[in-house]
Amino acid sequence: LDIDDSDKTPLQANITTGDDRWEKVLLTDAASKNGAVCLDGSPGGYYIRRRNDDRNDSVENNWIVFHQGGGWCGSNTNCLKRSKGRLGSSNFWGPTYEYGVHGFAGSELFSTPLFENYTVVYAMYCDGTSWTSDVDYPVKVSNNTNETIYFRGRRLLDALIDNLVSVEGLQNASKVLYSGCSAGALTTFLHIDYVASRLSPFSPTVKILGLADAMFSLDRNQFNGAPGGLQKSMKWGYQAWNSSYSVNTGCKKAHSKEDEWKCMIGEHVSIFVKTDLFIINSKYDTWQRKAILGADCDIGINCPKAQETFDILYGQSMVTALEKIPKEYGYFVSNCPSHCQSGLKFNWNYVTIDNVTMKDAFLMWYKQKNNPSKSDQVHIRLVDTGDVGPSGANVCPKRRSDFVADKMFQSIG
């Protein structure tokens, strides 16, 4: 699960948003005063697309806060390598959020008409710990080098919320969708209750909901019996990052001291989250299959029988695990091999279960949660219960090229 993302090229793009509302904000004060820094010691930050106050379509101050994905670093050495690229240093971030650069993460969600006049915050990920780490001192990587790294994810989270509240106007929000993809989805599971507690004193009536895209991951070994890569990284990281303060308290109480690290796994922490959220996942998630199961093939295309059978069992176990989550949750879990689907045009708009698209399923759930007095409340819980391919009239991409953007996430999580 170690991440090799040491690209030193500043982020530029061939694909632009066509929206000049995006602006980069670096949290330099929090870096100097509170030590809220990326792995390399540079300040954290975000891109923000502010709402258009000249429009008269809404008097509400509504927000999306979306956490970038990017996996985790599974050793001090790898964290050092990560610190020399865009997932560990703000020195490599470009001047604006551009869909073609940031892995398409969230882009379809942001451009959905319902959200086109929301203030959107794209929280850049540079700590490698899903915003959980909090080590006071710089960490020396080895005795053979003087190079150091910083584990300050929790301070970055606090700096983000502090600035959004005190500077950007989040304290006056009517609705907040707290969300993320991949490592950002785990961030959503881990921190949404905390963020809700930070905002409720300012606006007791604010409606906070969550969207976790692609990290409803299971605590499973690889198909060959070895511990999964995600398990190994989280078990190491929970101690090395000093993450205990940032993990869900209810989940920690349900586990022994030596197993608290399991609360960094989607299936374990999700059942203790009190804030309503919606889960998007594939039963055959292209990143989970490699990082957790150790698979090196595409299910239904070129998989050895042993791997494909194990993959099918993993998908079936995911369906069982979904039955344990709070009834207020919604979800859309298809058989389409993919990852981070809120940024993939075909998946978001056309993948269907029971004749309902992913986008429509989420929007139905979101609108219902924001209108609780409506009499037509239904549970939006859609899952393809078949194996491997889409069942019945359900729709997946017909060609691998339809979701080639998944390749961008297979290595970074």
Side-chain angles (χ1 to χ4, degrees):
L1 196 61
D2 284 356
I3 310 304
D4 183 2
D5 192 34
S6 53
D7 178 14
K8 300 179 181 180
T9 305
L11 293 180
Q12 301 295 334
N14 296 319
I15 304 173
T16 62
T17 65
D19 190 335
D20 59 8
R21 288 181 287 172
W22 286 103
E23 177 188 342
K24 182 172 73 172
V25 177
L26 293 179
L27 302 172
T28 53
D29 284 349
S32 60
K33 295 177 182 178
N34 303 323
V37 294
C38 301
L39 283 167
D40 72 330
S42 61
Y46 55 90
Y47 295 99
I48 184 168
R49 188 193 77 184
R50 296 180 177 89
R51 69 191 301 269
N52 185 352
D53 290 327
D54 293 332
R55 289 179 48 166
N56 297 317
D57 61 343
S58 174
V59 296
E60 293 186 330
N61 181 19
N62 298 330
W63 290 66
I64 295 175
V65 178
F66 191 97
H67 285 277
Q68 180 190 26
W72 306 268
C73 48
S75 68
N76 286 342
T77 300
N78 184 254
C79 291
L80 176 63
K81 186 176 183 179
R82 185 186 180 97
S83 74
K84 302 179 186 298
R86 61 187 177 87
L87 286 173
S89 172
S90 61
N91 293 326
F92 303 98
W93 300 347
T96 185
Y97 170 88
E98 297 176 275
Y99 295 148
V101 171
H102 297 287
F104 299 89
S107 57
E108 291 300 312
L109 173 70
F110 305 158
S111 60
T112 299
L114 178 64
F115 302 118
E116 63 183 7
N117 203 35
Y118 277 46
T119 294
V120 180
V121 174
Y122 190 81
M124 294 296 286
Y125 182 40
C126 65
D127 64 278
T129 72
S130 277
W131 306 69
T132 65
S133 55
D134 192 13
V135 177
D136 286 333
Y137 50 86
V139 176
K140 190 174 181 179
V141 175
S142 73
N143 294 327
N144 299 323
T145 177
N146 291 323
E147 291 185 290
T148 58
I149 50 177
Y150 296 84
F151 291 138
R152 302 284 175 80
R154 180 55 182 261
R155 298 187 200 189
L156 287 169
L157 178 65
D158 284 331
L160 171 70
I161 301 304
D162 288 346
N163 206 70
L164 294 181
V165 166
S166 64
V167 176
E168 305 288 5
L170 183 61
Q171 75 275 17
N172 299 317
S174 304
K175 300 184 182 79
V176 178
L177 178 62
Y178 188 71
S179 51
C181 109
S182 197
L186 179 61
T187 301
T188 303
F189 285 129
L190 290 171
H191 300 303
I192 188 170
D193 286 345
Y194 171 69
V195 172
S197 72
R198 288 287 311 272
L199 296 182
S200 58
F202 299 105
S203 179
T205 60
V206 64
K207 184 67 173 180
I208 301 175
L209 297 170
L211 173 62
D213 177 5
M215 273 311 291
F216 189 75
S217 54
L218 305 185
D219 180 12
R220 299 293 187 276
N221 289 338
Q222 297 181 16
F223 76 94
N224 62 7
L230 184 64
Q231 295 168 311
K232 291 187 290 186
S233 285
M234 293 310 177
K235 190 171 185 178
W236 171 83
Y238 187 75
Q239 298 296 328
W241 305 331
N242 190 30
S243 295
S244 60
Y245 177 66
S246 295
V247 168
N248 184 286
T249 302
C251 184
K252 285 198 298 182
K253 289 180 178 179
H255 291 81
S256 64
K257 188 71 174 177
E258 62 267 24
D259 282 342
E260 285 182 359
W261 65 270
K262 291 178 177 287
C263 295
M264 303 280 285
I265 305 291
E267 75 163 318
H268 294 311
V269 66
S270 60
I271 61 177
F272 295 97
V273 177
K274 297 178 181 178
T275 308
D276 293 352
L277 56 78
F278 192 91
I279 295 170
I280 293 174
N281 223 97
S282 167
K283 285 163 58 181
Y284 311 114
D285 183 287
T286 51
W287 184 86
Q288 293 183 35
R289 292 181 58 252
K290 297 180 184 300
I292 299 177
L293 305 185
D296 56 1
C297 59
D298 295 321
I299 190 168
I301 299 177
N302 60 352
C303 264
K305 184 66 174 178
Q307 285 194 33
E308 182 157 309
T309 298
F310 196 81
D311 207 347
I312 290 171
L313 291 174
Y314 184 84
Q316 292 172 348
S317 296
M318 185 179 292
V319 175
T320 301
L322 286 166
E323 296 173 356
K324 301 177 183 179
I325 65 176
K327 61 182 177 59
E328 293 82 9
Y329 284 20
Y331 52 73
F332 186 100
V333 179
S334 77
N335 285 353
C336 308
S338 194
H339 191 69
C340 280
Q341 299 176 82
S342 61
L344 299 177
K345 184 174 183 179
F346 187 96
N347 295 56
W348 182 247
N349 292 285
Y350 301 111
V351 168
T352 66
I353 299 175
D354 296 339
N355 297 313
V356 180
T357 66
M358 182 184 299
K359 177 181 72 174
D360 287 342
F362 170 69
L363 292 178
M364 283 190 291
W365 177 86
Y366 184 78
K367 290 176 181 178
Q368 284 190 175
K369 289 297 179 181
N370 282 298
N371 295 279
S373 62
K374 291 179 65 176
S375 60
D376 58 346
Q377 297 284 308
V378 295
H379 292 301
I380 309 298
R381 296 184 144 199
L382 297 174
V383 59
D384 194 326
T385 57
D387 295 324
V388 185
S391 303
N394 297 343
V395 175
C396 282
K398 294 181 179 179
R399 304 182 307 277
R400 184 70 186 172
S401 59
D402 286 334
F403 51 106
V404 67
D406 293 342
K407 292 291 187 183
M408 301 180 67
F409 292 98
Q410 286 185 8
S411 62
I412 68 173

